[in-house]
Amino acid sequence: MIAFESLEVRYPGAKEPALKGMSLSLEDGIVGLLGPNGAGKSTLLKTLLGLLEPSAGGGQVLGVGLGTPAAAKLRGRIGYMPEYDALIEDATAYEQVAFWGELSGLEPEAARDRAHEVLYFVGLDEARYRAVSGYSTGMRQRVKLAQALVHSPELVFLDEPTNGLDPEGRRRMLDLVMKVHAELGTGVILASHLLGDVERVADQLVILDKGRISASGSMSGLRKALSKRVELRFLDPLNASQEESLPELGALHEARNGYYDLEMKDADPLSAFRWAESHGAVLVQVTPRHDRLDEVLLRALHPERSLESEKA
Amino acid sequence: MPIYAPSLPPKPDLSLGQPPALVLARFDLKRILRQKMGRFFGFIFTFMLIWRLGYVYLYYLKDQNAVIGKMMDAAAPVLAQGAAWHADMLGGWLTYLLWFLVALIGGGLVARDTLYRVRPLMYAHPVKPSDYWIAKLGLSALVPFAVLLLFALLPWFLSVGLTGLHGVMWASTPLRLVPAALIIALLMGSVASGASSLASTPRAGIAWVIGVALGLEALGGMLFGILGSGAWMAISPMSLSAAWPRLLCGAPGGFFGWGPTLVGTAAHFVLWTLLLKNRTQPSEAVL
Amino acid sequence: MIKLERASLRYGAVLGLSPTSFELPEGGGIVGLLGPNGAGKSTLLQLLSGLLPPSGGSVEIFGQAPFRNPEVLSKIGLVPEGDRLPVGLKGRGWLRMMGRLSGLEGEALETAMTKALDTVGMSERADLPFPRMSKGMRQRMRLAQALLHDPKLLILDEPFNGLDPEARLTLMGLLRDLAEAGARVLVSSHILTEVAQLTDRILLLFRGRLLAEGSVTEIRQLLDRHPVELRLSGEARALSRWAVEQPELVALRMEDAAAVLSIRNPRDFLPKLQSEAAKGGLPLTGLDPLDLNLEAVFQYLTKDHA
């Protein structure tokens, strides 16, 4: 889907490049894009859209070389859902989605058909004929998503699609994002500040920091299973004597909100059941402990810290 | 008996669409037509047009009816005709009202996109900055041009139809008034869309256009009064739009001649177009 | 510590909160305040922080009504929603001003400021003007402001909004430390995964009413209408053969290397499973309760009452 080879992008007149020596290879799928504000997310987006040209290095997006004349046409093959409210308030959802479709190069007739189809896809049925100024946040986000899909792009860039949504709205939006890839076969880049969202939908991860890639790869590759580490949870909170004898089972790394993160002496998970059985506790959870996304992120952003802790 | 897939049909062809500038202009035109102001201006412009047509018809009756002929002859000193009258087809209240209409339409065209923050999203589509400003300027010039064209041509058609090429209106009238209409429309369009790009809400955009038009008119008048040269009035786009039909019809009077008119019009057109162009660059948009 | 008795709030014809009663005992810890949009979260926070009096019923904090009651308000720290800070001021200057407003003076004010800035880790950067701070830094300054008078109850309305992931993690760590030091922290949020990371205790509001209060595990067990889904990893067929013998089993789904069971009365079922596994009678490699989490509890509760 995307392949960069030491790509460098510089804004005209800027001293420092905004993207520095980026090498990246992403496969078709849902890519979570994480990074602090100002890490280079929007520069990356502009580069994908062919609005900025590489100043050194190069890359391919959807098989088109960046910086070539053909890159200007990439915009027609990419959909973009902005973070902010880029809605035409006095137009109906249907009118504006058709309009965006026409701007992407659809003929008027086709744009109208497609507008109806994508609005059904995102779940806006009757509301599509009302002006969007009366829409709820969830509906507005869905219009923005429909707009990004109307021309049937091969890749969509979704910038904080769950912004401002409540739990139910967030769940539905994330389901939609997964549907975009599963049913439409569209590649997705999901830029988000919410690790939970990324964890839920993404199969690949890119962590940007100060214009560089701090980490990238498949989700399963980045979130390694920690050997012998398990997460335990019990039906009732452990009492003091039970907690005291936990070290018989393994070294306790962390206990929080009823979860116990343990490095077991014995790799066999059944030993946990045996321990619980002999100490009068009832287990409800015994799962291998993987790296959490926040740990992956902090390690990527602060490699020096993890080195220090290793030394210690 | 197949089960038809509920998901989206195959990829549509993206090469069949209309040019982006046309799509943009059509979308805005639809929005303008939905607004109610068409009725008010439609009524007034129709009334003004009928008034001018009535005038042409009256001159036709002069030769047909002895009584009317005598009355018209008696009133000749106060009845306008000739070059000034021709120029007035596109002048007087018509230009003032048109400026108002253009302000209402064009003043919001760019400012609305700024307010709703849709411009960055447009540039994320295959839209070039030139597509954008051509669409905005074009549409805000097209509306006054359409109105002015009616006023330039309908009275002439009536006159030619009633009395032939030697009637009250010259045979060459369209050659003089149509270019004037075009120049006025472009002037109005560039001022309106340029001033609109300065504003961040449609209301402010409308205020900007009216403010620019009236403010420069007042400033021109003041400079004229202080410095004593009518050429200063050429800084006012309103005065410029009144000057063009007069100059092209060769009507006497006016505060300034060809030189200031040409320079003033060109300066306004270039200034406002550049402003529009520079304030709607993709770099202005933080994606 | 917090006690509401049929407290309600209406803004004219608009309902903010239906009569609500609950009690939070004395003691530290974080409580997550959850609910869909318009459920009454902000209203409840306004009642608790004494910004508005209830239209009916009573609100008591530390035994007194908080509305216009300086004695109670001095024990409450509030971080309201949003990111609004005066543009022209520097961090420390603003903090000093806020301290004076809450009655701190001279030496006491300076000590309190140093302490609050230390707690939020902004001592070195507090002299920056606000526009030059990152969102995360501004949020920490706002937290410092709420900590100036060393409150026993800290109320935060959507504090994570707009923060980048690292700033979120930093703020979460701060809140955890404060709670451990003995403060009661009440956080409203839309992001369930984050609340789950912070705490196990929640208050769930829905349509202006309190739906549930307590720990997620406890609340989940009360929802006996929904069978618990357990994923047993291991040799799926052998696990299923054992599971179908159990009277608590409602449904069974096979996956590649796991059996997913829907179970009623997990209190009866889990001990049986455990002893069978401990005896070595089951090829079990892992046990994962799929809907014993905040997300599931939230969804079941709001759906059941919709």
Side-chain angles (χ1 to χ4, degrees):
Chain A
M1 193 162 76
I2 290 173
F4 291 160
E5 193 55 55
S6 44
L7 175 82
E8 185 189 279
V9 177
R10 195 186 290 266
Y11 282 98
K15 268 190 224 149
E16 262 194 62
L19 299 182
K20 302 161 201 154
M22 240 186 208
S23 294
L24 180 66
S25 151
L26 295 173
E27 288 158 32
D28 193 29
I30 302 181
V31 181
L33 178 59
L34 288 173
N37 294 322
K41 250 187 340 185
S42 49
T43 314
L44 179 63
L45 168 67
K46 286 185 201 174
T47 311
L48 291 180
L49 293 173
L51 290 172
L52 287 173
E53 288 192 356
S55 48
Q60 285 200 333
V61 179
L62 301 173
V64 175
L66 290 174
T68 61
K73 286 203 175 141
L74 267 177
R75 272 176 272 169
R77 298 167 61 191
I78 297 180
Y80 168 46
M81 171 179 176
E83 179 185 357
Y84 50 83
D85 252 12
L87 294 177
I88 305 165
E89 303 283 335
D90 53 1
T92 68
Y94 158 69
E95 279 170 337
Q96 58 189 296
V97 171
F99 165 68
W100 292 116
E102 279 196 56
L103 273 189
S104 299
L106 294 176
E107 47 185 337
E109 197 71 18
R112 271 174 241 154
D113 290 346
R114 291 281 311 174
H116 283 300
E117 280 158 8
V118 289
L119 284 168
Y120 271 127
F121 180 83
V122 301
L124 285 172
D125 292 5
E126 287 311 305
R128 72 181 71 171
Y129 303 113
R130 294 206 312 261
V132 296
S133 52
Y135 277 21
S136 69
T137 319
M139 291 160 82
R140 300 171 75 88
Q141 295 287 39
R142 280 184 272 161
V143 179
K144 274 159 57 180
L145 179 60
Q147 163 279 125
L149 296 172
V150 63
H151 53 295
S152 176
E154 290 149 71
L155 172 66
V156 280
F157 191 106
L158 311 179
D159 201 354
E160 301 276 352
T162 58
N163 234 3
L165 298 182
D166 65 6
E168 180 62 17
R170 159 167 297 110
R171 198 182 58 78
R172 281 208 224 158
M173 178 52 77
L174 292 177
D175 285 350
L176 261 177
V177 172
M178 288 192 273
K179 222 172 102 181
V180 166
H181 181 249
E183 285 186 16
L184 308 182
T186 306
V188 177
I189 297 180
L190 170 77
S192 178
H193 281 338
L194 299 175
L195 301 179
D197 287 5
V198 170
E199 189 168 345
R200 173 132 177 226
V201 302
D203 51 32
Q204 295 162 79
L205 186 68
V206 175
I207 298 175
L208 273 186
D209 186 33
K210 300 187 189 93
R212 289 177 202 283
I213 289 175
S214 303
S216 76
S218 74
M219 207 61 145
S220 50
L222 288 167
R223 295 184 57 202
K224 289 186 203 72
L226 302 168
S227 82
K228 289 195 181 178
R229 290 272 286 276
V230 286
E231 266 194 315
L232 305 181
R233 209 157 31 134
F234 299 91
L235 198 54
D236 298 303
L238 293 185
N239 59 36
S241 77
Q242 286 167 330
E243 280 200 342
E244 260 169 44
S245 49
L246 258 184
E248 290 171 21
L249 183 57
L252 184 66
H253 277 257
E254 197 180 27
R256 184 191 287 167
N257 300 338
Y259 288 85
Y260 296 86
D261 175 4
L262 228 62
E263 184 165 342
M264 301 228 289
K265 287 180 181 161
D266 184 354
D268 182 11
L270 285 180
S271 61
F273 290 100
R274 284 196 286 270
W275 178 90
E277 189 71 1
S278 60
H279 287 84
V282 181
L283 276 166
V284 291
Q285 180 174 350
V286 183
T287 47
R289 164 83 156 76
H290 289 264
D291 266 327
R292 287 193 315 264
L293 210 47
D294 57 321
E295 292 166 324
V296 175
L297 177 79
L298 288 181
R299 224 179 16 238
L301 295 182
H302 305 285
E304 71 290 347
R305 268 191 224 164
S306 44
L307 277 179
E308 275 164 28
S309 67
E310 259 170 41
K311 272 180 211 156
Chain B
M1 196 180 283
I3 293 174
Y4 293 101
S7 57
L8 296 169
K11 199 173 157 49
D13 193 340
L14 289 178
S15 59
L16 302 175
Q18 297 173 342
L22 181 60
V23 176
L24 284 168
R26 266 183 36 231
F27 187 74
D28 279 326
L29 184 65
K30 235 191 291 170
R31 284 209 293 205
I32 290 166
L33 292 179
R34 239 197 336 248
Q35 289 166 358
K36 296 279 158 60
M37 58 195 184
R39 280 186 218 163
F40 170 74
F41 284 99
F43 176 76
I44 296 206
F45 287 141
T46 312
F47 180 76
M48 291 173 93
L49 193 56
I50 289 174
W51 180 259
R52 281 161 162 82
L53 291 173
Y55 230 84
V56 174
Y57 192 63
L58 213 59
Y59 274 105
Y60 161 73
L61 286 183
K62 186 175 99 166
D63 300 329
Q64 307 292 316
N65 186 315
V67 182
I68 295 180
K70 263 185 207 146
M71 275 166 58
M72 298 267 297
D73 282 337
V78 294
L79 279 180
Q81 50 186 314
W85 181 68
H86 278 79
D88 212 34
M89 284 292 167
L90 301 186
W93 278 103
L94 178 63
T95 31
Y96 290 111
L97 279 169
L98 261 185
W99 272 105
F100 194 53
L101 173 68
V102 168
L104 287 182
I105 291 172
L109 276 186
V110 183
R112 189 177 284 110
D113 292 348
T114 312
L115 175 67
Y116 297 154
R117 294 200 278 179
V118 290
R119 208 155 40 235
L121 188 53
M122 283 177 187
Y123 293 135
H125 287 76
V127 176
K128 290 192 292 293
S130 56
D131 291 328
Y132 183 80
W133 63 261
I134 286 173
K136 298 293 170 175
L137 199 157
L139 183 62
S140 39
L142 185 75
V143 173
F145 184 63
V147 174
L148 287 169
L149 205 58
L150 283 180
F151 281 82
L153 291 182
L154 274 188
W156 181 76
F157 277 127
L158 183 69
S159 163
V160 171
L162 292 173
T163 49
L165 284 177
H166 301 288
V168 62
M169 298 214 77
W170 308 327
S172 66
T173 303
L175 291 180
R176 297 161 189 270
L177 288 188
V178 173
L182 188 64
I183 292 169
I184 296 172
L186 282 174
L187 180 66
M188 286 176 166
S190 63
V191 171
S193 47
S196 181
S197 73
L198 292 170
S200 49
T201 66
R203 273 162 196 270
I206 293 166
W208 261 105
V209 183
I210 294 178
V212 163
L214 292 180
L216 287 180
E217 176 84 0
L219 184 68
M222 257 162 58
L223 290 174
F224 180 20
I226 296 168
L227 302 169
S229 162
W232 284 107
M233 290 296 286
I235 65 164
S236 156
M238 274 180 134
S239 295
L240 287 170
S241 57
W244 276 103
R246 194 170 43 72
L247 288 173
L248 282 169
C249 291
F255 299 112
F256 48 90
W258 278 101
T261 310
L262 277 169
V263 172
T265 308
H268 270 295
F269 184 77
V270 170
L271 172 80
W272 294 107
T273 309
L274 278 180
L275 194 67
L276 171 64
K277 204 179 140 215
N278 283 329
R279 291 195 51 101
T280 56
Q281 291 288 324
S283 59
E284 151 260 10
V286 182
L287 280 165
Chain C
M1 164 186 258
I2 297 179
K3 191 174 172 201
L4 264 73
E5 239 170 83
R6 295 198 55 76
S8 64
L9 188 69
R10 289 175 304 274
Y11 310 89
V14 178
L15 173 72
L17 192 67
S18 297
T20 297
S21 308
F22 71 92
E23 212 171 324
L24 281 185
E26 201 83 29
I30 304 178
V31 178
L33 178 59
L34 304 169
N37 284 331
K41 292 193 303 283
S42 301
T43 309
L44 180 62
L45 291 185
Q46 281 173 330
L47 286 179
L48 293 179
S49 50
L51 296 175
L52 291 171
S55 350
S58 70
V59 178
E60 273 182 23
I61 294 179
F62 306 110
Q64 294 183 38
F67 182 64
R68 290 192 180 152
N69 185 343
E71 205 179 312
V72 178
L73 293 181
S74 67
K75 294 182 194 161
I76 303 177
L78 173 69
V79 182
E81 197 184 351
D83 183 29
R84 284 182 292 268
L85 282 169
V87 175
L89 280 181
K90 289 183 178 154
R92 211 181 286 272
W94 174 75
L95 210 55
R96 192 168 287 126
M97 189 179 88
M98 296 307 283
R100 291 217 179 95
L101 284 180
S102 47
L104 288 167
E105 287 287 351
E107 196 67 20
L109 174 60
E110 294 305 314
T111 339
M113 273 172 56
T114 317
K115 192 172 162 230
L117 286 172
D118 255 359
T119 313
V120 299
M122 287 286 294
S123 309
E124 279 132 55
R125 287 166 294 180
D127 284 318
L128 287 175
F130 285 122
R132 283 188 46 206
M133 290 186 187
S134 71
K135 264 191 181 167
M137 286 156 81
R138 285 201 293 266
Q139 196 65 294
R140 280 191 270 166
M141 286 306 294
R142 284 154 50 85
L143 179 60
Q145 173 273 129
L147 293 175
L148 274 181
H149 48 280
D150 200 14
K152 294 276 162 296
L153 170 64
L154 191 59
I155 297 176
L156 302 101
D157 196 356
E158 297 278 352
F160 302 109
N161 259 1
L163 300 190
D164 63 38
E166 199 184 359
R168 277 165 204 264
L169 294 172
T170 315
L171 186 59
M172 274 188 216
L174 271 174
L175 296 182
R176 268 192 216 114
D177 293 347
L178 287 167
E180 242 157 62
R184 171 67 85 188
V185 182
L186 192 57
V187 185
S188 89
S189 175
H190 269 332
I191 296 142
L192 298 179
T193 48
E194 281 176 352
V195 175
Q197 250 178 294
L198 263 178
T199 180
D200 188 39
R201 290 195 76 81
I202 58 160
L203 274 170
L204 176 56
L205 289 176
F206 187 59
R207 299 193 172 161
R209 290 190 303 130
L210 186 68
L211 264 193
E213 187 269 314
S215 92
V216 173
T217 331
E218 287 163 23
I219 297 173
R220 178 65 187 89
Q221 290 180 29
L222 296 178
L223 292 167
D224 44 14
R225 204 190 320 173
H226 302 275
V228 175
E229 287 219 310
L230 297 172
R231 174 186 280 141
L232 311 188
S233 325
E235 213 280 291
R237 281 180 192 284
L239 290 169
S240 312
R241 265 198 296 277
W242 175 81
V244 289
E245 304 287 323
Q246 311 306 316
E248 293 85 2
L249 186 75
V250 185
L252 171 74
R253 192 172 78 234
M254 309 273 282
E255 287 178 3
D256 260 357
V260 180
L261 321 178
S262 292
I263 294 295
R264 277 195 205 289
N265 303 326
R267 286 202 163 269
D268 297 338
F269 177 83
L270 283 166
K272 278 195 278 178
L273 176 74
Q274 178 168 302
S275 70
E276 191 68 25
K279 271 192 285 178
L282 281 176
L284 190 62
T285 57
L287 171 63
D288 192 3
L290 298 179
D291 59 356
L292 197 71
N293 54 42
L294 181 56
E295 196 120 359
V297 164
F298 184 92
Q299 216 185 324
Y300 290 153
L301 274 172
T302 50
K303 285 262 163 67
D304 287 355
H305 292 80

